[in-house]
Amino acid sequence: MSTAGRARRLLIVNGPNLNLLGTREPEIYGSATLADAERLAADAAAESGFEVRAVQSNHEGVLIDAIHDAREDCAGIVINPGGLTHTSVVLRDALSGVALPVAEVHISDVRTRESFRHHSYVADVAVVHVIGEGVHGYATAVRRLIAVIAGQADG
Ligand code: CA2
């Protein structure tokens, strides 16, 4: 049986190419690394007594398996799907299928970049959206998602 309703754990998902954070394109993504982003998320979660499990993969199926596994022991999912944001129905279906609250994060402001970045397949399955705050957006997303989870528990 799922324990997600009681779990004080979030899954932090980073999609393709986000392992390159801090190595290239600092004018778009800043100079912080993926490890920095994951630490910001973990520290924000710890403020509320939550822990995180972080996964990054360049393979869609690995991300989907991690999302499915979250049903067992996570209360919510923070995801930056990378380029899959704009292409992936299957990633969207995985998020929708596990029925956990989802926060969508983008480091850059995708709304002001190329038009192909304006559409997100994830946006309407997410309850929290944090766009263009740099890696600090992971902490914002964690705090806002925990507030949603706390509200569900109260309700
Ligand atoms: O702004 C974001 O967080 C994005 O999700 C990042 C994706 C991009 O495709 C989305 O449109 C917006 C790209 C991730 C690749 O990250 C890199 C970081 C450093 C160097 C190269 C790629």
Side-chain angles (χ1 to χ4, degrees):
M1 185 204 277
S2 169
T3 59
R6 297 187 300 276
R8 294 182 78 80
R9 184 180 300 107
L10 302 178
L11 179 66
I12 311 297
V13 180
N14 280 287
N17 301 308
L18 284 159
N19 55 308
L20 298 176
L21 272 180
T23 68
R24 295 180 43 236
E25 304 190 48
E27 67 285 4
I28 300 174
Y29 299 114
S31 55
T33 65
L34 178 63
D36 294 330
E38 291 173 345
R39 196 187 61 252
L40 286 163
D43 288 351
E47 293 167 3
S48 300
F50 276 67
E51 62 181 58
V52 304
R53 178 165 69 243
V55 59
Q56 185 279 327
S57 180
N58 297 321
H59 304 279
E60 202 168 30
V62 172
L63 301 174
I64 290 167
D65 286 344
I67 290 165
H68 290 181
D69 290 347
R71 278 179 304 183
E72 298 304 319
D73 63 356
C74 293
I77 298 172
V78 174
I79 184 165
N80 181 346
L84 294 174
T85 306
H86 319 297
T87 64
S88 182
V89 174
V90 295
L91 190 66
R92 173 212 171 85
D93 287 346
L95 291 167
S96 173
V98 297
L100 292 171
V102 173
E104 178 182 8
V105 182
H106 296 288
I107 296 165
S108 64
D109 189 346
V110 287
R111 298 163 298 195
T112 60
R113 297 182 62 192
E114 304 96 320
S115 59
F116 63 81
R117 298 186 199 275
H118 295 179
H119 179 260
S120 166
Y121 281 98
V122 170
D124 67 353
V125 298
V127 292
V128 169
H129 307 87
V130 181
I131 298 172
E133 292 191 13
V135 291
H136 292 280
Y138 287 85
T140 305
V142 163
R143 292 187 186 110
R144 288 177 53 194
L145 187 62
I146 289 174
V148 169
I149 293 164
Q152 287 176 345
D154 293 345

